[in-house]
Amino acid sequence: MNHPADLEDAAGRRAAIVARIQAETGIDEAMITRLVDGFYDRVRADPLLGPVFAGRIDDWGPHLEQMRLFWSSVALMSGAYHGRPMPKHLPLPVDARHFDRWLELFEATARELCPPAAAGHFIERARRIAESLELGIAGANGVLLGRGQRYVRSTEAWSPPT
């Protein structure tokens, strides 16, 4: 069982990590909100990614809130997000093309809305996330990727949006 003093120590360590990252990058919750909202505006309008999301998200408010918590945890190590992203992404009809477009839009949004140190911090993490999700989705579809390989769905299993 966790002792209250241990929990206080852990909370103090986490707060120190968040403060250090904020000081180094300038990232705060307001910046995360601008980035997430701006990025998903682009995603919804995108001819490749938009249909993937439109078929699964009716109410964007809760999704955007989860994404803000996720990016707070990823960028600031805040511990705000408690979900499991991989299982949610495994059934999606996506492959390397989608991840490349996701990164293209994310990187453009980060560079446009964030100072250089913050944009670099976000982009580095986004690239790791995309790689991890692509590996997971490939594996869930029976494809084991080697170093540098990309996952492309077979044309029978994938059709471009109309």
Side-chain angles (χ1 to χ4, degrees), residues 79-112:
Y81 179 76
H82 300 288
R84 295 177 46 222
M86 187 63 77
K88 293 177 183 176
H89 288 81
L90 291 179
L92 297 179
V94 297
D95 65 10
R97 296 167 283 204
H98 297 85
F99 288 108
D100 288 347
R101 184 65 179 148
W102 183 88
L103 282 171
E104 183 181 339
L105 292 177
F106 188 88
E107 290 179 15
T109 307
R111 286 190 171 98
E112 180 181 310

Side-chain angles (χ1 to χ4, degrees), residues 62-94:
H63 181 72
L64 292 174
E65 183 54 34
Q66 285 298 302
M67 293 301 91
R68 291 179 200 116
L69 295 173
F70 174 80
W71 279 102
S72 176
S73 289
V74 167
L76 294 176
M77 305 293 292
S78 69
Y81 179 76
H82 300 288
R84 295 177 46 222
M86 187 63 77
K88 293 177 183 176
H89 288 81
L90 291 179
L92 297 179
V94 297

Side-chain angles (χ1 to χ4, degrees), residues 120-145:
H121 189 80
F122 282 121
I123 289 167
E124 176 188 351
R125 281 144 186 83
R127 288 176 180 167
R128 284 193 223 147
I129 290 163
E131 181 180 19
S132 175
L133 289 173
E134 185 177 338
L135 285 168
I137 289 170
N141 286 282
V143 177
L144 182 61
L145 296 177

